[in-house]
Amino acid sequence: MTKVLPFSKEQIQKIITQYPTPFHIYDEKAIIENAEELKKAFAWNEGFHEYFAVKAAPNPYLAKLLAQHGFGCDCSSYPELLIAEQVGNVGENIMFTSNDTGDYEFQKAKELGAIINLDDISHVAFLEKCAGIPELVSFRYNPGSLKSGNDIIGNPEEAKYGCMENQLFDGYKMLKEKGVKRFGIHTMVASNELNEEYFVETARILFNLVVKINKQLGIKFDFINLGGGLGIPYRPEQKKLDVFKISEGIRKEYESILVPNGLAPVKLYLESGRFITGPYGYLVTTVRHLKHTFRDYVGVDASMNNLMRPGMYGAYHHITVLGKENAACDHVYDVTGSLCENNDKFAIHRELPEVEIGDIIAIHDAGAHGHAMGFNYNGKLRSAELLLRTDGSVKMIRRAETVEDLFATLDFAGLKDFK
């Protein structure tokens, strides 16, 4: 089985004349269509809002593109808040969900009017001291044994995130006593999940919890943030999540739990990142070397610093050799980068067409947690990011790093006086 690319070998060859490999390239048209489909699926809920998880692809051009289609920004750090501010996503268009948060981060979130989603009840006093308590505050809930996690994010009971249920009651009571008028609740317990029912179950747990909190504390919630974790089909044989099926399941839970208890209408939020851009970004790289020892190796000019997931998680990313899409996959290779690390491999024992030096390879589904997780080990430089526009043109949205960038924080001039 194979995956389809939004560009041809000829297009990429032309792009390479201006932007040498490796680079990440994103498909604007597909991102927009996917964003609009998600909005359409949840249109039944007045006030539905998707907050794009900036950590997945922290590029202001992508954030602005999504903002133009009504998406907010889900931020977890000071720099991510700055990206949201730069693209005009301020106020309640920012969901600030962080952990082990610095005072300067809470201060910036408060300054921007962001929705602050607290990870722990101890953060109430911390926030009050460093920034003051806003009118609207949310807590992140960890359901513990009520909900299973998955391989990427782990089991909720082992996760560092969120408050236990009993802590939530104390936390919301504390906020109410401090004058908070508006309340939200949030959870995020899985990553890259492909089972639609998983998200319906999450909604059911949260809706029932909201009813319990309301009955005990008299709190009516402004919003319920169901988190993210919507997965993508990295493997060709996997199916894309049906967001309409997820939405319909959540709507039924909403109508059977919240409506009879007088807690509707309430706004539903999501904070997807991977699902929005992940399938529509590609790492494009060129074959430098072929090596034949105990295995056959394809050595490319990208490395694990451009895409960490295969080396870090053993994650599968589909590979297409441009111009050989229809050729028989009758050779078996390890596809490797040049880091001094043996896990610097994009694929192991991968069946591909016969590869030659100079071939261009596209690594699929690199549009989230790809460039974002880049690093500089071995002095490797982060690659450029390009946007394939809807009209077929290409826009550079981040230039490639230079050695000067890498060394900018070093004081070479002071070496002459160092003894």
PDB file of all heavy atoms in Angstrom, residues 79-100:
ATOM      1  N   PRO A  79       7.263  31.278  24.811  1.00  0.00           N
ATOM      2  CA  PRO A  79       7.423  31.501  23.365  1.00  0.00           C
ATOM      3  C   PRO A  79       6.172  31.176  22.557  1.00  0.00           C
ATOM      4  O   PRO A  79       5.875  31.850  21.567  1.00  0.00           O
ATOM      5  CB  PRO A  79       8.590  30.584  22.985  1.00  0.00           C
ATOM      6  CG  PRO A  79       9.371  30.434  24.245  1.00  0.00           C
ATOM      7  CD  PRO A  79       8.337  30.391  25.324  1.00  0.00           C
ATOM      8  N   GLU A  80       5.444  30.147  22.961  1.00  0.00           N
ATOM      9  CA  GLU A  80       4.213  29.822  22.243  1.00  0.00           C
ATOM     10  C   GLU A  80       3.165  30.918  22.429  1.00  0.00           C
ATOM     11  O   GLU A  80       2.407  31.225  21.498  1.00  0.00           O
ATOM     12  CB  GLU A  80       3.684  28.459  22.699  1.00  0.00           C
ATOM     13  CG  GLU A  80       4.570  27.304  22.236  1.00  0.00           C
ATOM     14  CD  GLU A  80       4.094  25.940  22.724  1.00  0.00           C
ATOM     15  OE1 GLU A  80       3.022  25.876  23.367  1.00  0.00           O
ATOM     16  OE2 GLU A  80       4.804  24.945  22.471  1.00  0.00           O
ATOM     17  N   LEU A  81       3.138  31.523  23.610  1.00  0.00           N
ATOM     18  CA  LEU A  81       2.249  32.681  23.828  1.00  0.00           C
ATOM     19  C   LEU A  81       2.624  33.828  22.901  1.00  0.00           C
ATOM     20  O   LEU A  81       1.751  34.522  22.367  1.00  0.00           O
ATOM     21  CB  LEU A  81       2.325  33.135  25.280  1.00  0.00           C
ATOM     22  CG  LEU A  81       1.656  32.244  26.328  1.00  0.00           C
ATOM     23  CD1 LEU A  81       2.038  32.684  27.738  1.00  0.00           C
ATOM     24  CD2 LEU A  81       0.131  32.242  26.167  1.00  0.00           C
ATOM     25  N   LEU A  82       3.925  34.030  22.694  1.00  0.00           N
ATOM     26  CA  LEU A  82       4.380  35.101  21.804  1.00  0.00           C
ATOM     27  C   LEU A  82       3.957  34.835  20.366  1.00  0.00           C
ATOM     28  O   LEU A  82       3.594  35.770  19.629  1.00  0.00           O
ATOM     29  CB  LEU A  82       5.895  35.255  21.890  1.00  0.00           C
ATOM     30  CG  LEU A  82       6.466  35.722  23.235  1.00  0.00           C
ATOM     31  CD1 LEU A  82       7.985  35.862  23.132  1.00  0.00           C
ATOM     32  CD2 LEU A  82       5.841  37.038  23.673  1.00  0.00           C
ATOM     33  N   ILE A  83       4.000  33.578  19.944  1.00  0.00           N
ATOM     34  CA  ILE A  83       3.539  33.229  18.592  1.00  0.00           C
ATOM     35  C   ILE A  83       2.056  33.561  18.452  1.00  0.00           C
ATOM     36  O   ILE A  83       1.629  34.162  17.459  1.00  0.00           O
ATOM     37  CB  ILE A  83       3.816  31.739  18.287  1.00  0.00           C
ATOM     38  CG1 ILE A  83       5.321  31.516  18.085  1.00  0.00           C
ATOM     39  CG2 ILE A  83       3.048  31.293  17.031  1.00  0.00           C
ATOM     40  CD1 ILE A  83       5.707  30.060  17.877  1.00  0.00           C
ATOM     41  N   ALA A  84       1.263  33.165  19.450  1.00  0.00           N
ATOM     42  CA  ALA A  84      -0.169  33.471  19.409  1.00  0.00           C
ATOM     43  C   ALA A  84      -0.402  34.974  19.321  1.00  0.00           C
ATOM     44  O   ALA A  84      -1.232  35.447  18.527  1.00  0.00           O
ATOM     45  CB  ALA A  84      -0.861  32.898  20.650  1.00  0.00           C
ATOM     46  N   GLU A  85       0.340  35.728  20.108  1.00  0.00           N
ATOM     47  CA  GLU A  85       0.202  37.191  20.104  1.00  0.00           C
ATOM     48  C   GLU A  85       0.564  37.760  18.738  1.00  0.00           C
ATOM     49  O   GLU A  85      -0.123  38.661  18.227  1.00  0.00           O
ATOM     50  CB  GLU A  85       1.108  37.783  21.184  1.00  0.00           C
ATOM     51  CG  GLU A  85       1.002  39.296  21.320  1.00  0.00           C
ATOM     52  CD  GLU A  85       1.914  39.842  22.405  1.00  0.00           C
ATOM     53  OE1 GLU A  85       2.921  39.187  22.744  1.00  0.00           O
ATOM     54  OE2 GLU A  85       1.629  40.942  22.917  1.00  0.00           O
ATOM     55  N   GLN A  86       1.624  37.242  18.121  1.00  0.00           N
ATOM     56  CA  GLN A  86       2.071  37.753  16.831  1.00  0.00           C
ATOM     57  C   GLN A  86       1.040  37.545  15.730  1.00  0.00           C
ATOM     58  O   GLN A  86       0.953  38.340  14.803  1.00  0.00           O
ATOM     59  CB  GLN A  86       3.394  37.079  16.432  1.00  0.00           C
ATOM     60  CG  GLN A  86       4.610  37.591  17.179  1.00  0.00           C
ATOM     61  CD  GLN A  86       4.931  39.037  16.820  1.00  0.00           C
ATOM     62  OE1 GLN A  86       4.874  39.439  15.670  1.00  0.00           O
ATOM     63  NE2 GLN A  86       5.256  39.823  17.836  1.00  0.00           N
ATOM     64  N   VAL A  87       0.250  36.482  15.832  1.00  0.00           N
ATOM     65  CA  VAL A  87      -0.739  36.218  14.771  1.00  0.00           C
ATOM     66  C   VAL A  87      -2.108  36.783  15.125  1.00  0.00           C
ATOM     67  O   VAL A  87      -3.085  36.543  14.415  1.00  0.00           O
ATOM     68  CB  VAL A  87      -0.836  34.704  14.456  1.00  0.00           C
ATOM     69  CG1 VAL A  87       0.524  34.154  14.064  1.00  0.00           C
ATOM     70  CG2 VAL A  87      -1.419  33.915  15.622  1.00  0.00           C
ATOM     71  N   GLY A  88      -2.178  37.521  16.231  1.00  0.00           N
ATOM     72  CA  GLY A  88      -3.438  38.165  16.605  1.00  0.00           C
ATOM     73  C   GLY A  88      -4.377  37.307  17.400  1.00  0.00           C
ATOM     74  O   GLY A  88      -5.537  37.686  17.617  1.00  0.00           O
ATOM     75  N   ASN A  89      -3.937  36.151  17.851  1.00  0.00           N
ATOM     76  CA  ASN A  89      -4.765  35.297  18.693  1.00  0.00           C
ATOM     77  C   ASN A  89      -4.520  35.664  20.151  1.00  0.00           C
ATOM     78  O   ASN A  89      -3.572  35.191  20.782  1.00  0.00           O
ATOM     79  CB  ASN A  89      -4.431  33.815  18.457  1.00  0.00           C
ATOM     80  CG  ASN A  89      -5.481  33.132  17.604  1.00  0.00           C
ATOM     81  OD1 ASN A  89      -6.609  33.600  17.493  1.00  0.00           O
ATOM     82  ND2 ASN A  89      -5.120  32.024  16.984  1.00  0.00           N
ATOM     83  N   VAL A  90      -5.352  36.528  20.684  1.00  0.00           N
ATOM     84  CA  VAL A  90      -5.207  36.968  22.068  1.00  0.00           C
ATOM     85  C   VAL A  90      -6.536  36.755  22.786  1.00  0.00           C
ATOM     86  O   VAL A  90      -7.507  36.280  22.201  1.00  0.00           O
ATOM     87  CB  VAL A  90      -4.772  38.447  22.147  1.00  0.00           C
ATOM     88  CG1 VAL A  90      -3.386  38.635  21.547  1.00  0.00           C
ATOM     89  CG2 VAL A  90      -5.776  39.355  21.437  1.00  0.00           C
ATOM     90  N   GLY A  91      -6.575  37.121  24.073  1.00  0.00           N
ATOM     91  CA  GLY A  91      -7.789  36.930  24.843  1.00  0.00           C
ATOM     92  C   GLY A  91      -8.160  35.464  24.917  1.00  0.00           C
ATOM     93  O   GLY A  91      -7.279  34.592  25.025  1.00  0.00           O
ATOM     94  N   GLU A  92      -9.441  35.176  24.846  1.00  0.00           N
ATOM     95  CA  GLU A  92      -9.895  33.795  24.993  1.00  0.00           C
ATOM     96  C   GLU A  92      -9.690  32.955  23.742  1.00  0.00           C
ATOM     97  O   GLU A  92     -10.147  31.806  23.674  1.00  0.00           O
ATOM     98  CB  GLU A  92     -11.347  33.778  25.465  1.00  0.00           C
ATOM     99  CG  GLU A  92     -11.490  34.330  26.877  1.00  0.00           C
ATOM    100  CD  GLU A  92     -12.905  34.327  27.424  1.00  0.00           C
ATOM    101  OE1 GLU A  92     -13.755  33.579  26.874  1.00  0.00           O
ATOM    102  OE2 GLU A  92     -13.175  35.074  28.382  1.00  0.00           O
ATOM    103  N   ASN A  93      -8.967  33.495  22.771  1.00  0.00           N
ATOM    104  CA  ASN A  93      -8.499  32.682  21.654  1.00  0.00           C
ATOM    105  C   ASN A  93      -7.213  31.946  22.010  1.00  0.00           C
ATOM    106  O   ASN A  93      -6.662  31.227  21.176  1.00  0.00           O
ATOM    107  CB  ASN A  93      -8.262  33.539  20.410  1.00  0.00           C
ATOM    108  CG  ASN A  93      -9.543  33.773  19.640  1.00  0.00           C
ATOM    109  OD1 ASN A  93     -10.368  32.867  19.495  1.00  0.00           O
ATOM    110  ND2 ASN A  93      -9.731  34.992  19.156  1.00  0.00           N
ATOM    111  N   ILE A  94      -6.714  32.132  23.236  1.00  0.00           N
ATOM    112  CA  ILE A  94      -5.560  31.389  23.725  1.00  0.00           C
ATOM    113  C   ILE A  94      -6.011  30.505  24.884  1.00  0.00           C
ATOM    114  O   ILE A  94      -6.638  30.972  25.821  1.00  0.00           O
ATOM    115  CB  ILE A  94      -4.436  32.311  24.239  1.00  0.00           C
ATOM    116  CG1 ILE A  94      -3.914  33.223  23.128  1.00  0.00           C
ATOM    117  CG2 ILE A  94      -3.283  31.478  24.818  1.00  0.00           C
ATOM    118  CD1 ILE A  94      -2.884  34.243  23.621  1.00  0.00           C
ATOM    119  N   MET A  95      -5.679  29.236  24.802  1.00  0.00           N
ATOM    120  CA  MET A  95      -5.819  28.313  25.924  1.00  0.00           C
ATOM    121  C   MET A  95      -4.404  28.050  26.434  1.00  0.00           C
ATOM    122  O   MET A  95      -3.571  27.496  25.699  1.00  0.00           O
ATOM    123  CB  MET A  95      -6.474  27.002  25.476  1.00  0.00           C
ATOM    124  CG  MET A  95      -6.671  25.977  26.573  1.00  0.00           C
ATOM    125  SD  MET A  95      -7.935  26.412  27.787  1.00  0.00           S
ATOM    126  CE  MET A  95      -9.391  26.524  26.740  1.00  0.00           C
ATOM    127  N   PHE A  96      -4.114  28.491  27.664  1.00  0.00           N
ATOM    128  CA  PHE A  96      -2.770  28.315  28.220  1.00  0.00           C
ATOM    129  C   PHE A  96      -2.776  27.135  29.185  1.00  0.00           C
ATOM    130  O   PHE A  96      -3.232  27.230  30.318  1.00  0.00           O
ATOM    131  CB  PHE A  96      -2.296  29.586  28.927  1.00  0.00           C
ATOM    132  CG  PHE A  96      -0.872  29.496  29.416  1.00  0.00           C
ATOM    133  CD1 PHE A  96       0.168  29.275  28.523  1.00  0.00           C
ATOM    134  CD2 PHE A  96      -0.577  29.630  30.761  1.00  0.00           C
ATOM    135  CE1 PHE A  96       1.482  29.178  28.966  1.00  0.00           C
ATOM    136  CE2 PHE A  96       0.734  29.549  31.221  1.00  0.00           C
ATOM    137  CZ  PHE A  96       1.771  29.320  30.310  1.00  0.00           C
ATOM    138  N   THR A  97      -2.304  25.993  28.687  1.00  0.00           N
ATOM    139  CA  THR A  97      -2.245  24.765  29.467  1.00  0.00           C
ATOM    140  C   THR A  97      -0.787  24.400  29.651  1.00  0.00           C
ATOM    141  O   THR A  97      -0.118  23.979  28.709  1.00  0.00           O
ATOM    142  CB  THR A  97      -2.990  23.619  28.754  1.00  0.00           C
ATOM    143  OG1 THR A  97      -4.357  24.003  28.557  1.00  0.00           O
ATOM    144  CG2 THR A  97      -2.932  22.345  29.565  1.00  0.00           C
ATOM    145  N   SER A  98      -0.284  24.575  30.869  1.00  0.00           N
ATOM    146  CA  SER A  98       1.138  24.366  31.120  1.00  0.00           C
ATOM    147  C   SER A  98       1.315  23.534  32.380  1.00  0.00           C
ATOM    148  O   SER A  98       0.357  23.230  33.085  1.00  0.00           O
ATOM    149  CB  SER A  98       1.840  25.714  31.294  1.00  0.00           C
ATOM    150  OG  SER A  98       1.244  26.439  32.361  1.00  0.00           O
ATOM    151  N   ASN A  99       2.548  23.154  32.669  1.00  0.00           N
ATOM    152  CA  ASN A  99       2.842  22.470  33.920  1.00  0.00           C
ATOM    153  C   ASN A  99       4.221  22.904  34.389  1.00  0.00           C
ATOM    154  O   ASN A  99       5.072  23.284  33.587  1.00  0.00           O
ATOM    155  CB  ASN A  99       2.747  20.949  33.756  1.00  0.00           C
ATOM    156  CG  ASN A  99       3.763  20.385  32.803  1.00  0.00           C
ATOM    157  OD1 ASN A  99       4.828  19.930  33.205  1.00  0.00           O
ATOM    158  ND2 ASN A  99       3.445  20.401  31.507  1.00  0.00           N
ATOM    159  N   ASP A 100       4.438  22.874  35.707  1.00  0.00           N
ATOM    160  CA  ASP A 100       5.671  23.413  36.295  1.00  0.00           C
ATOM    161  C   ASP A 100       5.950  24.803  35.730  1.00  0.00           C
ATOM    162  O   ASP A 100       7.059  25.112  35.267  1.00  0.00           O
ATOM    163  CB  ASP A 100       6.855  22.470  36.043  1.00  0.00           C
ATOM    164  CG  ASP A 100       6.726  21.172  36.831  1.00  0.00           C
ATOM    165  OD1 ASP A 100       6.163  21.223  37.933  1.00  0.00           O
ATOM    166  OD2 ASP A 100       7.167  20.124  36.338  1.00  0.00           O
TER     167      ASP A 100
END
